[in-house]
């Protein structure tokens, strides 16, 4: 559906369940269609390099897996990690968000939520801004820029492949990058 309707950035703030060949095939189809597939790392406080969590563990090249970071830019206590499978971290603790109508008396409702499902949209938004700056960038260019501009710190070393996403740096680098024509 997203591919047919031209979505370039696919935010997937969900996870769980076992391996699914159909889901993996759908992610591969997004790769073939030049889409960036952003996923939440999961909230089990585990190493997904050793104990897979899906869809984050499929390992398709256009996947960007996002861990949740706290206000000190450390891995949130609940966030999954994995040096190979988790690419970057983003704010994921006490993030202001919309809430379901059942959680309040008078919608629209807002509150503070925590989870990797709060962190993944942060990265999807950055990727969307990058595409606005340079619409012809390929999905793997977007991923590389996101990872190359991530700011590492000692608290994240060995836990995630990159560091905390840097919106300003990623958007700037995207605006000055020539699209890959190969």
């Amino acid at each position: 559906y997203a591919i047919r309707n031209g979505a370039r950035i696919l935010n997937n703030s969900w996870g769980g369940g076992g391996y699914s060949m159909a889901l993996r095939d759908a992610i591969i189809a997004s790769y073939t269609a030049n889409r960036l597939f952003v996923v939440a790392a999961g909230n089990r406080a585990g190493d997904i390099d050793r104990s897979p969590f899906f869809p984050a563990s499929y390992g398709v090249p256009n996947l960007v897996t996002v861990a949740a970071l706290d206000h000190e830019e450390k891995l949130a206590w609940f966030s999954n990690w994995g040096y190979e499978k988790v690419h970057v971290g983003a704010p994921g603790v006490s993030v202001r968000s919309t809430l379901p109508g059942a959680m309040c008396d008078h919608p629209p409702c807002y509150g503070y939520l925590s989870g990797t499902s709060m962190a993944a949209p942060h990265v999807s938004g950055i990727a969307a801004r990058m595409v606005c700056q340079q619409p012809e960038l390929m999905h793997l260019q977007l991923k590389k820029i996101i990872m190359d501009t991530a700011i590492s710190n000692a608290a994240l070393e060995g836990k995630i492949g990159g560091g905390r996403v840097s919106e300003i740096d990623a958007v700037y680098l995207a605006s000055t990058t020539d699209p890959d024509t190969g």
Side-chain angles (χ1 to χ4, degrees), residues 4 10 16 33 47 65 67-68 73 76-77 86-87 98 103-104 108 124 157 167 170 173:
R4 277 194 316 268
L10 308 176
D47 181 349
T65 301
E73 298 185 3
W77 68 269
V86 180
H87 302 101
T98 55
M103 294 181 71
C104 68
S124 295
E157 285 183 27
E167 178 178 8
L173 185 55

Side-chain angles (χ1 to χ4, degrees), residues 18 21 25 38 45 49 65 77 80 83 103 119-120 146 166 174:
M21 182 63 85
D25 289 347
V38 180
D49 288 345
T65 301
W77 68 269
N80 284 348
Y83 186 76
M103 294 181 71
I146 289 167
S166 173

